[in-house]
Amino acid sequence: MQAAFDSFARSREDFRVSAAAWDIVTDHISRCAEEDDREDYMLLTLCELFLKSGTKVMLEEVEDRPELNGLHADVVGKCEDGYFPVHVAEIDEHCSVSVRSLRPAGFDSRPQPDFKIRAVADEGGATGFIYTVGLSGLGGSVMYPMLTEFGREMFVRDVPASKVESVAKLMNFLVSRMEEGVPVNDEQLVQSNGLMMASQLHTAETAAEVRAEYHLEQPDGSELIELHPVVSCEGNDDMWGRILTQADARAMAAQAGL
């Protein structure tokens, strides 16, 4: 178990495990008096932070199937009694392998994200809306609740056509921050890709109303973060969500007659 744990520990930055989460892991392990307790906690850590469905691994020290050693595989399910179901693509075989025989693949081992960003607008329409699908299912952790702020979906309404790509990139930026353990909560300011937006966490009631109104294909019961542009100038798409410079502020003041 120790060899498998150490190999993933060395690759924890590749899996975007936050420093805060890893400090908890090492502190807990250091306080385990019994070897069995240490191994149980190591297994739990591997399950929670690394070996999720879709993770790419290399097989080593498979004693009962030595022909599998050195082959790459994909984790395809949850651990049962210390064994993970994997698919070995090189021989097109599904099998169950001990966690002790799993190592990081040596390239991008993290499972590819299952969430999608969807943009919806009427044909020829000036504005539309953008939302995430599946973000809430990316594996929030019971063991490390501070690791991710998943369990939430995102939504932006009245997005000018010229800003759709920037908003999508901002959403991807927020997801990467969530993976690093930085939460997205209510009443936060977010700056990315030339935009400044404020977050609003909907109540369960208003989230349901928004999903019904816009026909958002998001999981029932997931929380909903709506992002609003800090600056929204009607009729001026270029200013929508823009991070204001001093020149912008002066121009807006002049237009307002201030």
Side-chain angles (χ1 to χ4, degrees):
M1 179 68 74
Q2 187 70 55
F5 180 84
D6 288 345
S7 68
F8 282 96
R10 288 190 292 269
S11 300
R12 63 185 180 274
E13 291 185 2
D14 296 336
F15 286 83
R16 295 181 180 174
V17 175
S18 69
W22 198 250
D23 285 345
I24 291 176
V25 172
T26 55
D27 178 66
H28 190 102
I29 290 177
S30 68
R31 291 187 283 108
C32 290
E34 302 293 333
E35 184 62 26
D36 287 347
D37 292 338
R38 283 172 52 84
E39 292 209 350
D40 287 345
Y41 195 79
M42 288 179 185
L43 175 59
L44 185 57
T45 298
L46 290 172
C47 293
E48 289 271 354
L49 300 185
F50 300 103
L51 294 171
K52 298 181 180 181
S53 185
T55 300
K56 298 183 183 299
V57 295
M58 177 179 283
L59 307 181
E60 291 186 7
E61 302 179 10
V62 185
E63 296 180 358
D64 57 339
R65 294 284 306 279
E67 70 275 14
L68 297 179
N69 291 327
L71 298 183
H72 290 98
D74 296 308
V75 175
V76 294
K78 296 182 179 180
C79 179
E80 292 187 13
D81 298 324
Y83 283 76
F84 280 87
V86 300
H87 175 239
V88 187
E90 292 166 83
I91 58 175
D92 192 22
E93 179 180 335
H94 287 82
C95 55
S96 184
V97 178
S98 169
V99 65
R100 300 171 186 271
S101 298
L102 303 182
R103 304 288 186 272
F107 42 91
D108 191 358
S109 298
R110 291 181 300 125
Q112 296 302 305
D114 292 329
F115 83 96
K116 297 177 176 62
I117 294 176
R118 293 182 178 172
V120 180
D122 292 333
E123 186 174 354
T127 63
F129 58 92
I130 302 177
Y131 66 103
T132 61
V133 181
L135 178 60
S136 58
L138 284 186
S141 171
V142 174
M143 180 177 168
Y144 307 110
M146 83 299 295
L147 179 64
T148 62
E149 205 51 43
F150 296 132
R152 293 176 175 173
E153 300 284 356
M154 290 188 284
F155 168 70
V156 188
R157 71 180 83 197
D158 299 328
V159 181
S162 61
K163 299 287 186 172
V164 167
E165 183 176 355
S166 295
V167 171
K169 289 181 177 179
L170 180 141
M171 284 182 164
N172 273 320
F173 166 74
L174 288 178
V175 172
S176 70
R177 297 289 285 163
M178 293 159 96
E179 290 179 321
E180 294 169 358
V182 180
V184 179
N185 292 318
D186 194 26
E187 298 182 346
Q188 288 185 335
L189 290 179
V190 180
Q191 294 186 41
S192 179
N193 291 281
L195 301 178
M196 177 182 288
M197 307 198 72
S199 62
Q200 172 196 356
L201 177 61
H202 279 279
T203 65
E205 182 178 355
T206 59
E209 291 172 355
V210 170
R211 289 185 173 120
E213 179 181 354
Y214 288 89
H215 304 286
L216 306 184
E217 298 176 1
Q218 296 174 333
D220 292 335
S222 59
E223 294 184 325
L224 183 63
I225 288 278
E226 182 169 355
L227 301 173
H228 301 276
V230 173
V231 175
S232 179
C233 297
E234 187 174 350
N236 188 344
D237 291 352
D238 184 57
M239 292 298 296
W240 187 96
R242 182 165 159 177
I243 300 173
L244 292 181
T245 63
Q246 290 184 346
D248 292 329
R250 288 195 296 268
M252 292 178 66
Q255 289 178 356
L258 300 177

